[in-house]
Amino acid sequence: MIHTEETTKETVSTLNGLIAILEDGKLGYTNAAEQVSSPAIKTDFLEYARERALFIVELQDEINKLGKSTDTAGGGPLGALHRAWIDIKSSFTSGDTEAIINACITGEEAAIEKYKMVLEEKDLPTGQIAIVSKQLNSIQNTLIKIKAKKLLS
């Protein structure tokens, strides 16, 4: 893929959108960890939040490699589409573990949908496709783990 100023701008916008989704997830898992009583689930949620933070750094590095700085204004159109985690916080006020797990499932399903959309519709360079695919795979695995917790709760 040849990087013109326009394609670079589109790539940065796409990656910033994914960063916004990851920020939502990081915040969502941090909030969830504060609300659950189970030490094991709390530990898992904090691990998922840390993973999202690492994913953010990976995508920011890709933006920096393109000679651009990361967007601090909210991630462009993709980020604006995804605010599932932000809306989820109200579910946490009850401290009900099942409700919190359901909210996390909703957040992960929304993130997966956006990641798939990026991979299907966007023309990212090969290296970035590999990173986004790896992150998507990890988020899908996290969703499977969270659904398993739901069955146990």
Side-chain angles (χ1 to χ4, degrees):
M1 176 177 171
I2 298 171
H3 274 292
T4 64
E5 187 58 34
E6 187 60 33
T7 60
T8 298
K9 187 177 175 183
E10 288 174 18
T11 298
V12 169
S13 177
T14 297
L15 295 177
N16 274 324
L18 291 177
I19 288 169
I21 291 164
L22 293 166
E23 289 282 0
D24 288 349
K26 182 178 79 170
L27 178 64
Y29 279 124
T30 302
N31 288 336
E34 292 170 3
Q35 300 299 322
V36 295
S37 55
S38 165
I41 293 175
K42 183 183 296 278
T43 299
D44 287 342
F45 284 165
L46 290 173
E47 180 57 35
Y48 303 151
R50 276 190 295 278
E51 181 182 58
R52 296 304 175 273
L54 292 173
F55 289 172
I56 290 165
V57 171
E58 277 185 319
L59 296 180
Q60 288 172 333
D61 286 348
E62 290 301 310
I63 291 171
N64 293 334
K65 286 178 190 173
L66 294 169
K68 303 294 180 184
S69 60
T70 53
D71 179 15
T72 55
L78 198 63
L81 289 173
H82 176 72
R83 289 291 174 254
W85 279 107
I86 300 304
D87 298 334
I88 285 169
K89 191 168 183 182
S90 61
S91 303
F92 297 158
T93 55
S94 66
D96 176 13
T97 299
E98 186 176 352
I100 293 169
I101 288 172
N102 284 335
C104 291
I105 288 170
T106 300
E108 290 296 62
E109 287 173 342
I112 288 167
E113 180 182 320
K114 300 307 178 219
Y115 265 75
K116 285 182 175 179
M117 187 177 86
V118 164
L119 289 171
E120 289 169 6
E121 296 178 6
K122 299 295 180 180
D123 190 19
L124 293 175
T126 307
Q128 292 169 358
I129 290 171
I131 290 168
V132 171
S133 295
K134 176 184 67 74
Q135 290 183 0
L136 172 60
N137 187 48
S138 182
I139 294 168
Q140 288 170 324
N141 288 334
T142 298
L143 178 60
I144 291 166
K145 292 175 190 172
I146 293 171
K147 286 182 174 180
K149 285 179 196 353
K150 182 178 177 179
L151 296 173
L152 298 173
S153 67

